[in-house]
Amino acid sequence: MKSIYFRNFIATAVLVISCFLIIGTTFFFLGRSFLIDDTEQRLNANAEEIARTASAKMRQEELGSWDLRMTISSIAGSTRSHIFICDQDGLVLSCSDLVLYCSEHQGRRLSENTLRMLKLTGEMQQLTTLDDFYPQERLVAAKPIEHADSVIGYVFVSTESMMLVGVWRTFIGVALAVSAAVMFIAMLMSLIFSKKIAEPLDELTRAARKFAHGDFSVRVENTEKRDDELGALLDSFNSMADSLEKSERQRQEFIANVSHELRTPMTTIAGFADGILDGTIPKEQEEKYLRKIADETRRLSRLVRSMLDSSQAGSKALDKTKRRKFDLSELTLQTLLSFEARATEKNLDVDPQLPEDPIMVIAEPDSITQVLYNLTDNAVKFAERDSTIRIRLYKSGNKAYVSVKNRGETIPADDLSNIFDRFHKSDRSRSMDKDGVGLGLYLVKTIINNHGEDIAVTSRDGVTEFVFTLPLA
């Protein structure tokens, strides 16, 4: 499998090369056009200047004077160009050749075609040999020499096309060298940054492999404190790892708790049954131990039923199609009626503080009945004798609030944070509730959370209060 930074490097390299090709092609044509235009402007400027100088000679025969030849030779030498002056009939009178007395151009005559073009347009600016006047093509600019409103001759300024090519090649060479250097630096930086970006991704890959083998303790450190998308990915991965590790820990605790809860009644049942069968337990006490076997069997049945209820109630609460509008006050009163006998047995005063008007909520009725039943069952079970249990309903904003309060022993602060966990029992509940399996409050929280609502518990100075919310209709 190719490394991600290698693929990223290749992609970046292709992008950089493509950009340089586009930019290079653009500069190639723009630079060439600029070089030619600049040379043409320079030649035209020289031609105009020489034409003005020649016009000042006043007489046509002076177009071949020594002074004028010296002038154009000086200009030609400084501008690396070739200059000659001809009369209106195309006869070359002055030339910038360095050998002043033996010029190969002086005395020659321009072709009729060249003269016709000059007389027609008045000037020239093109790449030409002037009909074999020059052995090779040159960039030529020609301007008329005027005196007394008449054309007395023409000045020609030219430069070798090969010189342009040389300048152009030098420009291209420098441009290519700079481009190659910039491209190398860009690709090197791309390789470095791609590898740096890929490092945390490689760590993520290694961590994911460890996850696949059941090791949920691994984390990917955001050492650079990145706040970009990659940093968010690392933080999300670590959050997922925390959640998975917690889920795995809860799963192991769940299995351990279930094993413990199942083993206790099963050990008791097996021990009493073996005692009856092998005669260890006297005949006259068999009925007593058979009742204990029956009690443990019922306890085992309650455990299995509670686990099943926990699964079904949570799923039912999640099903929004089963939610409907109902009166929470009426449901609360119906639930309280089922505790009348138990409350009377402990001489408890049940105080339902319900508003006169109905409190209409939207929820799954059976699940909420289970919540009210479990909370009231706990309140009755752990309330002091001759005390009061208070169930209060009220509204605030768009929420309905249900409070179940009783007086008894204060729940230790360490237990409050774990009270909604599966199979959790505080020491107080273990001593007072031998039949409990620790799923009631877990079931309550599951149902309320699956409705998208919250439940909270407080316990101070012997007063314990559970409060949960439901959405108003």
Side-chain angles (χ1 to χ4, degrees), residues 129-285:
T129 61
L130 293 178
D131 293 332
D132 296 328
F133 184 83
Y134 289 118
Q136 295 178 337
E137 281 190 340
R138 300 174 69 92
L139 187 58
V140 179
K143 295 288 183 181
I145 302 173
E146 298 178 347
H147 182 69
D149 296 330
S150 63
V151 177
I152 62 175
Y154 298 94
V155 56
F156 286 80
V157 181
S158 67
T159 186
E160 294 181 0
S161 60
M162 291 304 295
M163 186 182 74
L164 291 177
V165 173
V167 174
W168 178 236
R169 284 177 178 173
T170 302
F171 172 78
I172 290 296
V174 173
L176 287 176
V178 172
S179 299
V182 172
M183 186 180 301
F184 174 77
I185 294 173
M187 293 177 69
L188 181 62
M189 293 179 65
S190 170
L191 180 61
I192 294 173
F193 282 113
S194 297
K195 188 171 183 178
K196 198 164 189 63
I197 290 174
E199 284 177 356
L201 296 179
D202 290 339
E203 291 184 25
L204 280 175
T205 302
R206 289 192 292 269
R209 290 196 183 102
K210 291 183 179 180
F211 273 26
H213 291 87
D215 181 6
F216 299 107
S217 62
V218 64
R219 298 293 184 272
V220 180
E221 294 296 331
N222 188 2
T223 54
E224 298 182 5
K225 306 300 180 184
R226 309 176 66 111
D227 57 356
D228 54 6
E229 292 83 355
L230 188 56
L233 175 62
L234 297 179
D235 294 339
S236 298
F237 180 87
N238 289 333
S239 296
M240 179 194 69
D242 292 338
S243 178
L244 287 174
E245 187 175 26
K246 182 179 178 181
S247 297
E248 176 64 15
R249 185 169 58 252
Q250 289 177 342
R251 183 186 69 84
Q252 293 176 355
E253 291 175 357
F254 173 76
I255 293 174
N257 288 328
V258 169
S259 300
H260 172 76
E261 294 293 340
L262 290 176
R263 184 170 61 248
T264 300
M266 293 175 67
T267 301
T268 302
I269 293 171
F272 291 157
D274 290 341
I276 292 173
L277 290 175
D278 61 18
T280 304
I281 296 175
K283 290 289 184 180
E284 60 274 12
Q285 293 186 359

Side-chain angles (χ1 to χ4, degrees), residues 103-126:
S103 173
E104 62 174 307
H105 299 105
Q106 192 165 346
R108 294 181 62 181
R109 189 178 297 275
L110 296 176
S111 67
E112 292 295 332
N113 182 50
T114 302
L115 287 175
R116 191 182 311 112
M117 183 182 301
L118 281 173
K119 291 178 181 179
L120 181 64
T121 60
E123 59 182 26
M124 177 185 294
Q125 183 175 296
Q126 67 183 44

